[in-house]
Amino acid sequence: MKGEYSAVLVLLSLAVAVMASWSALDLARRVTSGDSAATRLWLVTGALVLGSGIWSMHFVGMLAFSLPIKLGYDVLTTVFSWFIAVLVSLLALFLATWQSANLRLVLGGSVMMGLGVSAMHYSGMAAMRITPAIQYDPLLFAASVLIAILASATALFIIFHLRGLRGSSLLWRKCVSALVMGFAITGMHYTGMAAARFDGASVCLAANDLDPGWLAVTVAMLAIGFMMVGIVAAIFDHRMEQRTNKLSSQLRVANGELMHAALHDALTDLPNRVSFDARLDAATRQARAHNGKVAVLYIDLDGFKPINDVLGHHVGDEVLRQVAQRLRTGLREDDFVARIGGDEFVLVSQGPMDRIAAGRLAQRIVDATALPIHVVEQDIHVSASVGVALFPDDGDETRVLVCADAAMYAAKHAGRNTWRLFSEDMTGTGNDILGMQRAIRRALDEDEFVLHYQPKVSALDGSLRGVEALIRWQDPQRGMVSPGEFIPVAERFGLINAIGFWTLRQACCQARDWQRAGQHIQVAVNLSAQQFRQPDLVERVRACIEEFGIDPALLALEITESVVMETSSSARRALDELKQMGVTLSIDDFGTGYSSLAYLCRLPARQLKIDRSFVVDMDAVAEARTVVEAVIRLAHSLRMEVVAEGVERAEQVALLRALGCDLIQGYYFSRPVLPAQIEALLASGQLPLLVERAVWTDAGRGRDDGVRRLIVAQA
Ligand code: C2E
Ligand code: CA
Ligand code: CA
């Protein structure tokens, strides 16, 4: 008996096979990604979908075949064949979850899958229960099993191969692969069918069981359902892929931004300190390799801090932004500017470079910075001090920046708004910052610092109302160094805290000695900005007071006006705590920092020191006198005591008294002197000093500060 094939159904079976393959590839990809619970779920659903797919393909193929007798299918065997199909799919998908594929695995898996598919096919044939039994041509039978194994191997190979692919290349390969697999599966089926020999008197015992018509409907529904799953899965996959693509590109962007933020200054968008070091390193390395030079320009703005304090941070920020913009313009391709501190920038220039070119560049920067900066309807003036050093002439990669810094420092000293080329004398002796830095460290170890004390005298009756401790450095090489020289260096190099706390202890120790001798003299100590920002400032002051057992009222702390203005809430709290402790707070150098008195009145300070610059010409310049007068009135309305600093002449004393100033400090009464001289003064019984009678003898003139003797003229 010869069977016939319906061409339409054969094509349909091929289409179903291709779709099943497509889904298999899709599902295989999904089971490989994700966590274990999800993998298991995908594995089971995948096996059901794929198994049903292969099975429907098989049955569409069966239905395409007809014999001249009525055909039907045995229910149990049919279900069994479906079950085998699902099992085989489970095996295939399970193999697909393996992370690495070796030949053994693919071979073993393919054989098992191939046998499984063959079992499904031949049990499906058996479901027809044809008698006498179908005879199979051994060659074609073997060929069909072999094709099944090969088809499985191809499928597995493709599955492993497609792993990790994304986008359109994946889509193309998946299409081609599904076609190849679909043809392989159909090929196996029809070879298996061709192997079958039906006896002329064949009867189908299952003719009354599952009607081919019904089966056709079931299979068609399965095929459609299966196709839907495939489509949904494909859409889902596409969406997922789009989402992951979007996420990964977002991640890339975010990463880039993070990288940028880590290496750039948020305000000016210039490279920051971190990337500066790396870039300078690269530039010097390149210069070394090509025998070239690198110019390093250290740029520090003059007078920036008051802008920030008085006009507010938003104005300060805008000034920095505009300065950064000016520094950036006109740079050569290999040059760069970085912001390495609050108002400090460094410009690095490569290429043809010598001292003349570097100097020209520095002048250009000084000129560009000096142009007024327009911020919120006002013109703001800043200037720049620029230090220039050349690599490798002035210093190697580790030193060139320090040299530029030293040169900048020299530019500041030369009056600001200018530039200086580094020269060795900046590191030799004398005007030597690097050397001084080293010497300061040594001075701390070797106890080379001394405190001198300058009286603060009552303007009313000339009685001694306290002293200000002023540090001096007795350097074996340099001689007596004034704090104006070494304090700024110590501040730059982080040594000021050590010096400051040494002063604090020393002053408390002196107050104790005087207290023991029955003299209650208040000692004022200057606090530097950095010291003031130390979180343990209050504790250290308290410890000092306790260590020496002094009355806290004997200690006063002088903080400059500009430092007081920048007080954060934590610093504010420190001031309150110090006041609570009983320590007197004094605002130093008042008038130089543009503070608003309204702000000052909220501070727990008790004393205001009018800066020397106002006192100097108050007897000659009317404006200065007006300022002093206004400050005294306002301070009094805030219940603050006023100290006039730098009083040198009797006329000034008379004026200050007339204006109601409380305390007077200055050379007119005494230079800063050693404690013994303060004691001598007190012991002489000549206090209170009568203001009109206090004069300086010329005996010690020409000698240093501390050695001048205070002599009070007899009445
Ligand atoms: P300052 O706190 O304003 O100290 C007053 C300065 O004016 C002292 O200078 C003092 O010698 C000087 N002076 C006093 N009376 C007169 C006068 O009649 N005419 C003139 N022309 N000058 C007068 P000095 O001792 O050179 O100190 C300079 C600055 O160094 C101080 O200014 C203070 O800011 C700082 N300083 C001094 N000692 C210390 C310290 O122990 N710690 C800290 N952080 N800074 C200190
Ligand atoms: Ca002071
Ligand atoms: Ca002062």
Side-chain angles (χ1 to χ4, degrees), residues 468 558 588-589 609 611 645:
E468 177 178 2
E558 295 192 3
D588 208 354
D589 300 348
K609 300 184 75 175
D611 191 66
E645 291 188 297

Side-chain angles (χ1 to χ4, degrees), residues 368-678:
T369 315
L371 295 175
I373 294 171
H374 196 72
V375 184
V376 252
E377 317 260 294
Q378 52 188 331
D379 278 337
I380 290 172
H381 294 268
V382 285
S383 57
S385 298
V386 181
V388 187
L390 281 184
F391 166 91
D393 306 8
D394 296 327
D396 61 8
E397 45 276 77
T398 59
R399 232 176 74 98
V400 65
L401 184 65
V402 180
C403 293
D405 188 9
M408 183 280 287
Y409 200 76
K412 286 255 182 219
H413 260 272
R416 305 162 162 223
N417 191 25
T418 185
W419 56 273
R420 285 289 176 273
L421 272 172
F422 175 79
S423 64
E424 273 309 320
D425 63 353
M426 294 173 186
T427 61
T429 48
N431 178 20
D432 154 13
I433 286 109
L434 300 174
M436 186 182 275
Q437 187 205 137
R438 249 172 276 131
I440 292 173
R441 287 181 207 277
R442 193 203 56 224
L444 275 166
D445 292 341
E446 309 275 312
D447 241 350
E448 291 170 5
F449 293 114
V450 273
L451 287 188
H452 284 190
Y453 297 87
Q454 187 178 36
K456 291 179 181 172
V457 176
S458 160
L460 216 60
D461 58 14
S463 60
L464 183 76
R465 296 277 299 276
V467 292
E468 177 178 2
L470 291 158
I471 195 168
R472 270 98 189 89
W473 175 18
Q474 188 66 64
D475 181 27
Q477 279 128 45
R478 296 177 178 82
M480 193 69 99
V481 186
S482 91
E485 275 177 67
F486 67 85
I487 295 260
V489 180
E491 273 176 342
R492 273 198 94 65
F493 295 98
L495 297 165
I496 189 68
N497 276 324
I499 295 178
F501 288 117
W502 176 87
T503 309
L504 182 66
R505 275 201 80 228
Q506 191 63 28
C508 287
C509 180
Q510 186 58 61
R512 192 243 352 240
D513 288 351
W514 280 330
Q515 187 179 294
R516 279 188 180 160
Q519 302 282 5
H520 289 258
I521 305 172
Q522 187 185 61
V523 180
V525 172
N526 290 286
L527 281 193
S528 74
Q530 277 184 47
Q531 229 178 332
F532 184 61
R533 291 190 207 108
Q534 294 300 302
D536 61 351
L537 171 68
V538 176
E539 279 327 300
R540 291 181 96 148
V541 170
R542 199 194 308 276
C544 244
I545 289 174
E546 280 167 10
E547 180 184 349
F548 295 103
I550 56 166
D551 178 357
L554 290 182
L555 182 65
L557 297 176
E558 295 192 3
I559 306 161
T560 59
E561 182 196 2
S562 47
V563 172
V564 169
M565 283 305 290
E566 65 175 85
T567 43
S568 57
S569 59
S570 65
R572 180 65 224 266
R573 221 173 307 124
L575 288 179
D576 284 330
E577 282 176 53
L578 288 169
K579 190 199 170 160
Q580 283 288 306
M581 220 187 283
V583 173
T584 300
L585 294 173
S586 183
I587 295 170
D588 208 354
D589 300 348
F590 186 77
T592 55
Y594 316 82
S595 322
S596 81
L597 273 166
Y599 177 79
L600 287 181
C601 77
R602 282 183 270 135
L603 292 172
R606 246 202 49 207
Q607 203 175 64
L608 198 72
K609 300 184 75 175
I610 306 179
D611 191 66
R612 199 169 73 84
S613 54
F614 295 97
V615 177
V616 166
D617 35 37
M618 66 177 289
D619 48 350
V621 182
E623 286 81 10
R625 190 161 53 232
T626 318
V627 170
V628 173
E629 188 177 359
V631 171
I632 292 173
R633 278 222 214 112
L634 276 159
H636 282 169
S637 74
L638 299 171
R639 281 194 214 82
M640 281 172 140
E641 191 178 48
V642 181
V643 184
E645 291 188 297
V647 180
E648 294 181 354
R649 294 188 298 276
E651 298 78 33
Q652 294 166 334
V653 178
L655 245 167
L656 287 164
R657 290 184 74 190
L659 296 176
C661 180
D662 305 286
L663 299 175
I664 288 171
Q665 180 183 353
Y667 294 172
Y668 180 72
F669 289 107
S670 171
R671 294 215 159 214
V673 292
L674 286 166
Q677 289 164 285
I678 299 284

Side-chain angles (χ1 to χ4, degrees), residues 43-83:
L43 211 62
V44 174
T45 17
L48 284 171
V49 170
L50 182 59
S52 308
I54 296 174
W55 183 82
S56 6
M57 172 268 139
H58 166 76
F59 260 94
V60 173
M62 296 286 272
L63 295 172
F65 176 77
S66 56
L67 283 175
I69 53 173
K70 183 171 188 279
L71 290 176
Y73 295 90
D74 175 64
V75 182
L76 259 180
T77 322
T78 305
V79 170
F80 178 68
S81 71
W82 172 80
F83 186 66

Side-chain angles (χ1 to χ4, degrees), residues 211-356:
D211 175 67
W214 271 106
L215 205 60
V217 172
T218 318
V219 167
M221 271 167 57
L222 265 175
I224 288 168
F226 173 70
M227 201 164 66
M228 303 262 282
V229 169
I231 289 168
V232 168
I235 291 171
F236 182 76
D237 190 51
H238 186 64
R239 285 255 173 96
M240 283 290 280
E241 198 146 316
Q242 267 188 334
R243 229 181 68 192
T244 41
N245 279 348
K246 205 170 129 193
L247 278 177
S248 69
S249 80
Q250 274 172 353
L251 206 71
R252 226 181 2 259
V253 172
N255 253 332
E257 279 169 6
L258 224 75
M259 204 52 181
H260 188 88
L263 298 177
H264 289 79
D265 160 49
L267 182 68
T268 59
D269 206 38
L270 290 177
N272 62 12
R273 177 94 220 194
V274 179
S275 50
F276 169 76
D277 289 341
R279 284 177 182 224
L280 180 64
D281 201 48
T284 51
R285 219 158 338 117
Q286 199 185 341
R288 217 179 254 294
H290 298 96
N291 249 342
K293 292 187 199 305
V294 177
V296 176
L297 283 74
Y298 205 114
I299 304 154
D300 190 288
L301 297 187
D302 311 318
F304 175 73
K305 224 186 106 29
I307 293 174
N308 235 359
D309 291 346
V310 179
L311 303 174
H313 284 287
H314 61 289
V315 176
D317 286 355
E318 186 52 32
V319 168
L320 288 175
R321 254 188 298 251
Q322 291 200 27
V323 168
Q325 188 50 43
R326 287 179 191 180
L327 294 179
R328 240 191 308 238
T329 46
L331 283 190
R332 283 191 299 210
E333 204 188 324
D334 284 341
D335 302 355
F336 69 90
V337 191
R339 180 174 173 221
I340 65 166
D343 59 352
E344 290 171 20
F345 300 85
V346 180
L347 191 152
V348 173
S349 181
Q350 286 167 271
M353 186 49 73
D354 55 18
R355 298 182 94 77
I356 294 169

